[in-house]
Amino acid sequence: MPEPQPSPVEEQEVITHAFENGEQIIAADNPWELLEHSKVVTEREAPALLIRAINAFIHQGQNFTAQSVVEILMDYSLTLDEGFSLQIIHAQLAEAASEYARAIKLLSVLDYNQIQNIETKKQALSILANAQIALGHPFDATAALLDIDLLTGDVAGNAEQLENQQKILQLLRTMDALQVSLLRENLFNPHLDGWLALANTMETTTRTYIDVDLEHWRLAYPDHPVQSQLLAQYAGRGERDEYRQIALLLPLTSPYGTVAGAFYDGFMQAHSNNISLNPPLVVLYDVGEEPYLSSFYYQAAVNEGADFVVGPLGRQAADALLSSRQPEITTLLIAEVPPESRADNLFGISLSPEKEARQIADKAFADGRRQATVFRSQSKWGERVANAFVSQWELLGGTVVKNKSFPNDISDYTRIIQKFLGLDKSIARARLLEAQIDTNLKFAPRRNDDMDMLFLAANADQARLVVPQLRFFQAHNLPIYATSYVYSGNPNPALDADLDGLIFGDMKWMLEGVSRYKLKVAEKRALKSALKTAPKVKHEETSTAEHGDRNVNVNETAFVQGNSGSLTTTNPVRDKISDLNNPEHEAQESANKTRNPYQNSTLNRLYALGIQSYQLIPRLNLLRSKNLERFFGRAMAVSVDQDGSVVRHPAWAKFVSGLAEPIDPLAQQQP
């Protein structure tokens, strides 16, 4: 039999002192030993031992004894830090005696910037927070607790920090709107917005969606120091499937590597924000550029313990996989599910433009349109998208008046558009009439009036060329609908001004960039306004020898005496504007806030699809069984058809002043 192992002994903090006759070791948490030992050490060493003894007595509830030792301590000459500790002890004893106002008064006179010891500072703030809570002052208590959290740092599994964060969240949830507003206005803390958003989430969510809402919160505040254990305490698992190991099949080393990389980054971003205490393991398989290898890597993933597979990406790779095998475990294709391969454990998600075209037909028909005309790019993509729209439009009962293509290699579409809108016939009739009466007539050509909407199958660059020419040739009052391909993802009102009025559907994720753009523009305007209204700063004249031939604008420049004694010029407002106009600053600011390297690019859709796919994994079976129910993910709203196809429900937008503005879903679109 194996020998029994000794049970682990809890380590005890000790203090060692050297004497002429050897060393003496005492327990750091034994107040009586500390008190006795203070009598035999030097006067310089005794206060530290007495302070330890007092704290140990208070911890044991022996406050009367602690007060007696305080009187002994006061006879010693104390260092600055020891003086702070004594003041904190007085406050701690006052708190223990329920003299909360006195405890707050004792702590309010401390200069916290002078306290070097972090634990001493945290102790003072903790006493202050408890006293404020006891007196019903949630604002001041929250401020102290947030300071403690900053001092603690992001330490996973720290029980003290977890308790402190629980108090923060509890206090924030008791505050009304006015208190929250005052907190925002008067308290500077880099994590305050995240805490307030988390508290609001806890108050407004339901048990059914709390885990979804918490995941959304974590995505919005990826750098927030809240402990995972705290989120897990609130998360309701609901009807969700749990998986141990997820295999991710992507063609990273292929011509589609950039696309696959964006999906992977979004997927792993969502995984890193998983609030579960036992998140699944994600294993990546690079399937390369040969679609037929998908089946090989799929089998390898199953053999290595995967119980869920995401991928492969693209129609060819998905067809190659499904032509050689039926899925053995639950699988989410990043492609459409072929009708002949449908299975209970097979799902598919994609950015199919054909699906978007069918949804546009539904949208336009719901807006009251009935006579559609189609103008499409002269390409296989344009033909596929147009056919999908026409098929759905006619199924709904609408009429397709015209379905014409335009070439991709020209920029002047005058003749093509005139013919497309019927203007050529109007011009021909006018010319015939002029010939018959032998007189030049003043006339404005008119387009055909048998159409009440136009579906444009084009990308962003094509739309910027085509739409203004359509408007010029009498289509200014014709509603134009298009897929998300007309939106580059980068808010640029100067470039997209000609698209005003165009309606399209996209992920809500993509439209959030417009809000960020508006905030940045508003900040720039506010700073420029501050620069114009800044008070004039007078200064003494300086010699040419000191400043050379520089021209200094006294209305905008303040002089500051530097450490070297030289005179330097600074302007905080102008410096801030310069920073905002610096592309490198903008890129860094964007990366810090969102951790999204694809922001303001078309690849952002693939990044968002990766996030959405990860969030969907535990919910696919539930959504399939309740196919009328929608899941409102971080990137978009989706549902799952009975055949396993994930249906994206777009957020509708219209270009206004060159920006993609969300459309009120209850608003009826007018010509």
Side-chain angles (χ1 to χ4, degrees), residues 59 100 124 244 268 274 278 284 318 343 399 411 507 516 620 635:
H59 182 71
Y100 302 115
R244 301 183 308 277
M268 295 308 295
N274 190 324
N278 298 298
L284 174 65
T399 300
S411 58
M507 305 176 182
R516 289 190 293 269
L620 286 169

Side-chain angles (χ1 to χ4, degrees), residues 178-292:
L178 178 59
Q179 290 172 318
V180 169
S181 178
L182 290 172
L183 200 65
R184 287 186 187 276
E185 185 176 345
N186 295 286
L187 186 63
F188 173 76
N189 183 285
H191 305 301
L192 178 59
D193 285 344
W195 280 116
L196 292 173
L198 179 58
N200 183 65
T201 297
M202 301 307 304
E203 287 300 300
T204 58
T205 190
T206 64
R207 181 166 180 80
T208 303
Y209 290 103
I210 187 169
D211 52 342
V212 180
D213 292 335
L214 288 176
E215 288 178 10
H216 291 180
W217 176 87
R218 175 50 90 185
L219 281 169
Y221 299 94
D223 296 320
H224 198 277
V226 68
Q227 291 207 17
S228 298
Q229 294 95 319
L230 180 58
L231 297 181
Q233 289 176 5
Y234 291 98
R237 307 322 298 169
E239 299 179 72
R240 295 180 51 174
D241 298 320
E242 301 292 339
Y243 297 98
R244 301 183 308 277
Q245 184 170 319
I246 300 171
L248 192 53
L249 277 57
L250 293 172
L252 293 176
T253 54
S254 77
Y256 303 101
T258 304
V259 170
F263 181 92
Y264 172 79
D265 288 341
F267 191 90
M268 295 308 295
Q269 178 63 53
H271 178 63
S272 69
N273 292 324
N274 190 324
I275 62 174
S276 171
L277 293 178
N278 298 298
L281 174 68
V282 177
V283 181
L284 174 65
Y285 295 84
D286 181 4
V287 302
E289 58 182 313
E290 298 296 340
Y292 72 88

Side-chain angles (χ1 to χ4, degrees), residues 473-484:
F473 289 110
Q474 306 300 313
H476 54 277
N477 61 346
L478 188 66
I480 301 177
Y481 294 75
T483 69
S484 63

Side-chain angles (χ1 to χ4, degrees), residues 374-386 403-409 413 455-459 462-463 466:
V374 179
F375 202 37
R376 53 185 166 82
S377 165
Q378 200 172 75
S379 63
K380 291 182 179 180
W381 178 89
E383 187 174 353
R384 290 200 333 263
V385 171
N403 183 355
K404 299 295 182 181
S405 65
F406 59 87
N408 305 319
D409 55 355
Y413 296 96
F455 173 64
L456 180 65
N459 61 30
Q462 293 166 341
V466 171

Side-chain angles (χ1 to χ4, degrees), residues 59-77:
H59 182 71
Q60 295 174 9
Q62 300 182 50
N63 297 331
F64 180 79
T65 306
Q67 183 62 55
S68 300
V69 181
V70 167
E71 295 175 4
I72 298 173
L73 177 63
M74 292 175 67
D75 291 333
Y76 285 87
S77 176

Side-chain angles (χ1 to χ4, degrees), residues 58 133 142 223 269 318 350 366 588 616 668:
I58 294 174
I133 291 172
T142 301
D223 296 320
Q269 178 63 53
S350 75
Q588 182 62 42
L616 274 173
Q668 182 77 11

